[in-house]
Amino acid sequence: MKYTLLFVCFIALFSSNVIGQTQLRQKNFNLSNGLAIEGYDPVSYFKGKPEKGSANYSFIYEGVAYHFVNSMNLTAFKQNPSGYEPQYGGWCAYAMGNTGEKVEVDPET
């Protein structure tokens, strides 16, 4: 009985920590209706041209939703999310570096 109660307490503590971290990420990300980088495929940036993703190829990573152009880009992201997630939560890197201000970014620039 003791071990069961201890296990339940551990799971509750772990779950509340994960929920808190997810909410913090969502708060610091530039999201449009819960969607990162205005629905653009983060992998497409590394292939030369940003492209709008599709809801048919979507993935939620640590509370932040992404859309992808195709299943190959979705798979690439799943294998290395930190390599494709936008820096500064998708806010304008120049403004963040220059003044620390959060400014909207244009995915096409």
Side-chain angles (χ1 to χ4, degrees):
M1 179 69 176
K2 260 195 228 182
Y3 293 112
T4 303
L5 183 58
L6 183 61
F7 180 73
V8 169
C9 289
F10 174 76
I11 294 298
L13 181 63
F14 178 76
S15 296
S16 66
N17 188 35
V18 168
I19 291 169
Q21 289 174 346
T22 296
Q23 289 172 339
L24 181 61
R25 272 179 54 85
Q26 290 171 335
K27 180 182 174 188
N28 288 310
F29 260 75
N30 183 3
L31 302 177
S32 175
N33 296 322
L35 189 59
I37 52 180
E38 298 183 21
Y40 278 76
D41 178 342
V43 177
S44 69
Y45 281 85
F46 295 87
K47 294 185 173 184
K49 182 179 181 237
E51 295 182 72
K52 274 280 197 185
S54 166
N56 294 329
Y57 304 105
S58 62
F59 181 66
I60 298 175
Y61 177 67
E62 295 183 2
V64 177
Y66 292 92
H67 284 177
F68 301 89
V69 172
N70 55 44
S71 62
M72 291 177 8
N73 286 10
L74 171 59
T75 300
F77 183 87
K78 285 181 177 181
Q79 291 173 345
N80 184 18
S82 63
Y84 293 109
E85 271 200 309
Q87 293 188 11
Y88 307 110
W91 298 100
C92 175
Y94 177 78
M96 291 293 292
N98 194 34
T99 65
E101 183 181 1
K102 289 182 177 177
V103 176
E104 294 291 326
V105 68
D106 179 356
E108 304 252 356
T109 60

